[in-house]
Amino acid sequence: MDKIKMITPLVEMDGDEMTRILWKWIKEILIEPFVDLKTEYYDLGLKHRDQTDDKVTVDSANATKKYGVAVKCATITPNAQRVEEYSLKKMYKSPNGTIRAMLDGTVFRAPILVDGITPYIPTWKKPIVIARHAYGDIYKAVDGLAGESKAELVYTDREGNKVTKLIHDFNGDGVVMAMHNTDKSIASFARACFNYALDLKLPLWFSTKDTISKVYDGRFKDIFNEIYQNEYKEKFESAGIEYMYTLIDDVVARIVRSEGGIVWACKNYDGDVMSDMVATAYGSLAMMTSVLVSPDGIYEYEAAHGTVTRHYYKYIKGEQTSTNPVATIFAWSGALRKRGELDGTKDLVDFANRLEKATIETIESGEMTGDLVGLFKKDGVTPKKLSSEDFLKAIAKRI
Ligand code: NAP
Ligand code: MG
């Protein structure tokens, strides 16, 4: 059989621990036998990030800007314990944070649905995609303890004019916080959400708490509305999808009652919390995909989970593990499909679809990794736990 040809390389960002092992197997067992794989390889494994003073992360983000599509393995975000474990020169920042800042992207997370694994909310039949704004709010806030004092919010313009607002006159101990966002970042977030909803042909719901936070959250609402009216209304209408803005309380109620099949745009904190709720409700973090989309249409695909450290320590002791590779497989299929769409290579798009279908069918026929066995219930099918490698081989047979 002739292997499928690629025109433009994918940017490949390798990673750490168990996911680095899965990465190699996925390529060897599921991709390279079928595709004449072209990638520009960047090793974001912690050792190599340390050797390059983290320059490799910046280089990989620049390559992603150049080529347009990347696939990324999970990576360690170092903490004090990792600095010691790897004898690092310093405590590097999260690679995902660095890449996100350089691409000015929005993160979309979507569950992979399988017949046999029923969401905890059984009416959810289609994926709920969470779009999380990845800049500002409490993640860049300044906060502190306040004693008996008057807390004020002061902002000074370039001419030195000050505006002062009383936050609270404290008669006892308390806490204060100030946070910000920028119109530029909110507008990028809005465009990324509109583009992604059009891409998936799914309705877009956006929610904030603008009844309480009239100026702050009101600004988000207004910027979304202005961009929608000026740039996207016609495109949405011709795609037959709707854009709806409503209060977060209202969306939470609607989401629970829905069938899924929605892109839900969330402010930073809402997205952080709601994506964990949605992931858990669909069954497993190991079945959650993640894609970073920049406002100018650059895509970086990955799994939503981490490097699965506990399994890796077993693996290096020579034990067989049953780590779930599905989200990482879907990162590859997502990236290959997007590359195929951009290059007009139908074979590659078809292959990506076949790979996903084969993965889902393997699980539906009862062959899966250990994490899914307890969740799987289907008449006439007894779930069987396979090692990661055997599971990948079972998928390969179905491609
Ligand atoms: P994790 O790697 O997601 O794993 C947490 C636990 O979830 C695992 O111990 C395992 O549970 C289960 N799990 C996650 N993915 C699984 C899979 N594919 N198959 C089977 N079980 C899976 O999170 P963590 O342990 O908090 O973080 C480990 C490292 O990953 C950290 O260094 C962190 O910095 C990094 N991280 C990276 C990313 C990223 O690159 N996007 C994201 C998050 C975390 P059991 O042990 O009970 O089987
Ligand atoms: Mg969270």
Side-chain angles (χ1 to χ4, degrees):
M1 192 184 71
D2 274 351
K3 288 193 195 179
I4 296 161
K5 294 268 177 291
M6 290 179 65
I7 298 174
T8 316
L10 279 181
V11 177
E12 176 184 352
M13 304 170 176
D14 207 346
D16 289 301
E17 299 194 313
M18 200 60 218
T19 39
R20 186 179 179 100
I21 308 298
L22 294 177
W23 193 259
K24 181 169 156 278
W25 289 342
I26 290 170
K27 283 170 62 180
E28 284 172 3
I29 300 170
L30 294 181
I31 300 174
E32 285 163 351
F34 306 94
V35 179
D36 196 0
L37 187 65
K38 262 188 174 180
T39 73
E40 194 165 295
Y41 179 85
Y42 292 87
D43 183 1
L44 267 54
L46 189 49
K47 241 189 249 161
H48 192 239
R49 272 183 274 153
D50 193 43
Q51 282 161 9
T52 61
D53 299 310
D54 209 22
K55 189 173 164 293
V56 65
T57 305
V58 173
D59 290 346
S60 72
N62 279 325
T64 306
K65 282 187 178 173
K66 177 176 165 194
Y67 292 110
V69 187
V71 57
K72 180 179 171 291
C73 180
T75 46
I76 292 168
T77 298
N79 54 17
Q81 182 253 321
R82 298 294 197 169
V83 172
E84 202 184 303
E85 182 184 350
Y86 284 80
S87 313
L88 300 179
K89 288 181 244 167
K90 60 185 252 204
M91 200 187 300
Y92 300 98
K93 283 193 282 191
S94 145
N96 285 28
T98 303
I99 297 165
R100 205 150 58 210
M102 286 182 66
L103 300 182
D104 187 19
T106 297
V107 176
F108 296 86
R109 282 185 163 195
I112 299 153
L113 303 193
V114 172
D115 187 18
I117 300 175
T118 308
Y120 288 98
I121 299 184
T123 48
W124 288 359
K125 304 268 189 271
K126 292 180 261 177
I128 292 167
V129 182
I130 300 251
R132 173 182 169 188
H133 186 203
Y135 177 82
D137 299 355
I138 62 165
Y139 303 86
K140 288 258 181 212
V142 180
D143 61 358
L145 295 171
E148 187 93 14
S149 62
K150 205 160 75 171
E152 289 172 332
L153 185 63
V154 182
Y155 33 111
T156 314
D157 71 15
R158 297 277 175 249
E159 277 78 50
N161 304 307
K162 286 187 194 303
V163 177
T164 304
K165 289 182 178 174
L166 178 68
I167 299 170
H168 191 68
D169 203 342
F170 285 92
N171 284 319
D173 290 346
V175 280
V176 283
M177 173 164 79
M179 62 187 194
H180 80 282
N181 222 297
T182 66
D183 283 9
K184 180 169 177 276
S185 175
I186 300 166
S188 293
F189 172 47
R191 290 195 177 91
C193 292
F194 289 126
N195 286 336
Y196 202 67
L198 280 170
D199 229 25
L200 299 186
K201 295 219 169 18
L202 290 179
L204 176 69
W205 294 358
F206 178 45
S207 58
T208 73
K209 190 77 181 175
D210 69 298
T211 44
I212 301 298
S213 171
K214 290 190 166 56
V215 177
Y216 197 104
D217 281 13
R219 191 81 189 147
F220 280 77
K221 175 187 175 179
D222 292 346
I223 289 174
F224 264 70
N225 187 47
E226 195 185 311
I227 291 176
Y228 178 69
Q229 296 298 336
N230 294 338
E231 300 170 32
Y232 291 95
K233 191 165 187 287
E234 280 166 26
K235 290 182 199 158
F236 267 57
E237 282 167 4
S238 58
I241 55 175
E242 64 159 358
Y243 166 62
M244 176 177 75
Y245 173 83
T246 181
L247 257 191
I248 181 133
D249 318 46
D250 183 35
V251 166
V252 167
R254 284 172 189 257
I255 286 282
V256 170
R257 289 194 306 260
S258 79
E259 281 204 336
I262 299 146
V263 179
W264 179 11
C266 291
K267 288 182 61 201
N268 210 346
Y269 176 82
D270 298 340
D272 184 348
V273 177
M274 293 303 169
S275 63
D276 286 330
M277 191 272 285
V278 169
T280 308
Y282 275 109
S284 168
L285 188 60
M287 298 289 280
M288 184 63 78
T289 61
S290 180
V291 54
L292 176 73
V293 183
S294 84
D296 35 355
I298 291 163
Y299 292 75
E300 184 236 292
Y301 293 83
E302 65 171 334
H305 60 75
T307 59
V308 210
T309 310
R310 213 176 61 84
H311 294 211
Y312 180 62
Y313 289 147
K314 278 191 182 175
Y315 169 83
I316 47 181
K317 276 196 267 163
E319 290 176 42
Q320 215 175 39
T321 74
S322 182
T323 317
N324 188 337
V326 171
T328 308
I329 296 171
F330 273 63
W332 274 99
S333 58
L336 290 170
R337 182 189 302 105
K338 180 55 75 182
R339 194 64 272 166
E341 284 169 9
L342 294 175
D343 289 350
T345 40
K346 189 173 168 298
D347 284 2
L348 198 58
V349 175
D350 289 346
F351 172 75
N353 292 336
R354 282 202 329 265
L355 175 56
E356 291 182 358
K357 192 160 167 271
T359 305
I360 289 172
E361 281 174 4
T362 303
I363 300 171
E364 289 178 345
S365 75
E367 296 182 298
M368 61 196 77
T369 48
D371 57 313
L372 300 181
V373 170
L375 302 170
F376 190 88
K377 279 183 191 58
K378 197 171 160 191
D379 281 345
V381 184
T382 310
K384 190 169 143 216
K385 174 178 167 178
L386 300 185
S387 69
S388 303
E389 255 184 309
D390 286 345
F391 177 61
L392 293 170
K393 286 177 188 157
I395 297 170
K397 279 195 213 140
R398 291 172 189 272
I399 293 179

